[in-house]
């Protein structure tokens, strides 16, 4: 497995793969890899010939009071995990290499990024789109795999690829959960035992809602929201505080009418504060 530090090395590596008739599959990550990331690598291997994983904690997608500095990092362990998954190359640049020190051009999405997480994280998706676009260009990837756990991110990246006619195939991968059903996230490492016990009300409530469909298909979205609030905030005695509940069209992220029933292709997503940690989770219904 090659460990590449510069953009030039990655593009030369990708050109070489293409010259040999191989399809390049990209898995963008911020490192501190877990089973969810490994599942993305396995999907990338099935859908391409040479997989490249990027490991880069992208400063431009963190707000001023967010966890950029304390975001967990363990490059040695990450590289060993990538190697064990049969990854062909890892791109692990530093911020200076990625952004040239004085970059001044960013990508901006103006609709899907203004709802849900975009409300409390106003610069986040611009940072994500900018770095993802750069990674696509640098790696010349034919295919890229992203997790459905970040459902809003995936929808916005799909929109970017569509609107800017980017020559890349996107694959969305199912959420991988811990044995207690907590959605896997590098940020789970921040949770205390008390946080974690309370956080389980999130997956419990969302998975029950998903399992009960279509029996609950006649519920209005207002009723669904009530049920989620009771399950998550009520279930944790107020320890978990919901930031939002979104019941939206899975592709357009447009809010379903409050009196509408729980129709198919609906994304039910939440963000919540659990102690000092902000978590997100979602299910697709229908
Ligand atoms: O999902 C993530 O880990 C990040 O947002 C991504 C896509 C790697 C961009 O930094």
């Amino acid at each position: 497995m090659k460990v590449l530090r510069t953009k030039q090395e990655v593009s030369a590596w990708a050109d070489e793969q293409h010259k040999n008739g191989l399809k390049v599959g990209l898995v963008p990550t911020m490192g501190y890899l877990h089973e969810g990331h490994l599942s993305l690598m396995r999907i990338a291997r099935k859908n391409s010939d040479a997989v490249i994983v990027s490991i880069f904690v992208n400063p431009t997608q963190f707000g001023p009071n967010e966890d950029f500095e304390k975001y967990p990092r363990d490059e040695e362990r990450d590289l060993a995990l990538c190697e064990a998954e049969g990854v062909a190359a890892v791109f692990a640049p530093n911020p200076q290499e990625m952004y040239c020190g004085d970059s001044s051009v960013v990508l901006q999405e103006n609709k899907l990024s203004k709802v849900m997480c975009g409300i409390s994280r106003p610069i986040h998706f611009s940072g994500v789109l900018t770095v993802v676009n750069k990674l696509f260009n640098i790696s010349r990837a034919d295919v890229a795999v992203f997790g459905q756990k970040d459902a809003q991110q995936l929808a916005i990246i799909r929109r970017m690829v569509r609107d800017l006619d980017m020559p890349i195939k996107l694959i969305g991968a199912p959420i991988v959960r811990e044995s207690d059903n907590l959605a896997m996230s590098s940020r789970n490492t921040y949770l205390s035992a008390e946080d974690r016990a309370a956080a389980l009300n999130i997956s419990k409530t969302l998975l029950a809602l998903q399992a009960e469909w279509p029996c609950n298909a006649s519920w209005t979205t207002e009723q669904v929201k009530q049920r989620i609030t009771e399950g998550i905030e009520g279930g944790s005695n107020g320890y978990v505080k919901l930031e939002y509940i979104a019941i939206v069209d899975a592709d357009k992220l447009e809010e379903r009418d409050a009196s509408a029933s729980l129709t198919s292709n609906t994304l039910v997503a939440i963000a919540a504060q659990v102690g000092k940690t902000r978590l997100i989770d979602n299910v697709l219904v229908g």
Side-chain angles (χ1 to χ4, degrees):
M1 185 181 80
K2 289 196 178 329
V3 179
L4 309 172
R5 302 284 175 188
T6 68
K7 299 187 268 196
Q8 205 178 9
E9 283 173 317
V10 175
S11 298
W13 173 85
D15 287 345
E16 191 63 32
Q17 309 311 307
H18 286 148
K19 223 175 358 177
N20 294 332
L22 303 180
K23 217 195 250 186
V24 173
L26 170 70
V27 179
T29 82
M30 297 207 298
Y32 212 70
L33 304 175
H34 51 65
E35 197 53 43
H37 295 112
L38 305 188
S39 78
L40 305 184
M41 294 174 205
R42 289 171 203 149
I43 292 171
R45 281 194 70 187
K46 283 204 186 111
N47 288 276
S48 66
D49 307 303
V51 173
I52 181 160
V53 172
S54 62
I55 298 178
F56 180 62
V57 184
N58 174 35
T60 67
Q61 67 188 73
F62 289 80
N65 300 317
E66 294 183 354
D67 56 344
F68 173 68
E69 295 297 342
K70 80 168 207 213
Y71 195 85
R73 293 157 168 92
D74 188 344
E75 188 181 275
E76 207 180 315
R77 181 175 159 276
D78 288 348
L79 293 179
L81 287 169
C82 289
E83 182 132 47
E85 287 303 323
V87 165
V90 168
F91 177 38
N94 62 33
Q96 168 68 28
E97 170 66 14
M98 200 59 162
Y99 287 111
C100 313
D102 65 347
S103 75
S104 53
V105 176
V106 295
L107 269 177
Q108 177 72 45
E109 194 283 334
N110 289 318
K111 198 165 176 223
L112 287 69
S113 62
K114 304 295 177 198
V115 297
M116 298 164 62
C117 292
I119 294 171
S120 66
R121 308 189 73 191
I123 63 154
H124 174 66
F125 290 113
S126 172
V128 169
L129 287 185
T130 304
V131 82
V132 166
N133 182 30
K134 285 165 71 65
L135 290 168
F136 287 176
N137 291 337
I138 297 161
S139 71
R140 327 273 204 246
D142 301 284
V143 176
V145 188
F146 295 88
Q148 172 67 24
K149 154 94 182 337
D150 296 296
Q152 185 174 16
Q153 168 174 283
L154 178 57
I156 295 171
I157 293 170
R158 281 196 197 288
R159 185 56 67 96
M160 168 179 80
V161 166
R162 187 199 77 175
D163 285 0
L164 300 183
D165 305 298
M166 294 179 162
I168 190 162
K169 179 180 166 189
L170 294 181
I171 301 178
I175 296 178
V176 177
R177 296 183 179 276
E178 308 271 5
S179 55
D180 58 10
N181 277 335
L182 186 69
M184 285 201 182
S185 163
S186 304
R187 289 189 170 101
N188 289 351
T189 183
Y190 301 152
L191 299 173
S192 67
E194 191 184 13
D195 292 344
R196 197 177 166 109
L200 295 185
N201 288 288
I202 298 174
S203 50
K204 190 171 150 201
T205 304
L206 293 180
L207 290 172
L209 183 82
Q210 186 184 43
E212 285 162 23
W213 203 86
C215 297
N216 52 12
S218 62
W219 294 3
T220 64
T221 58
E222 210 41 56
Q223 286 170 320
V224 175
K225 282 189 181 175
Q226 230 171 45
R227 164 85 180 254
I228 292 174
T229 307
E230 277 160 23
I232 296 179
E233 292 191 340
S236 65
N237 291 321
Y239 191 92
V240 180
K241 301 216 165 23
L242 282 160
E243 178 185 304
Y244 68 76
I245 303 172
I247 302 182
V248 295
D249 174 276
D251 303 312
K252 297 183 176 162
L253 304 185
E254 283 168 2
E255 185 131 15
R256 301 277 194 220
D257 210 311
S259 59
S261 56
L262 198 54
T263 46
S264 62
N265 199 34
T266 295
L267 173 73
V268 180
I270 66 98
Q273 199 64 35
V274 185
K276 291 198 171 95
T277 308
R278 182 179 182 277
L279 296 179
I280 56 170
D281 199 350
N282 69 79
V283 287
L284 282 165
V285 292

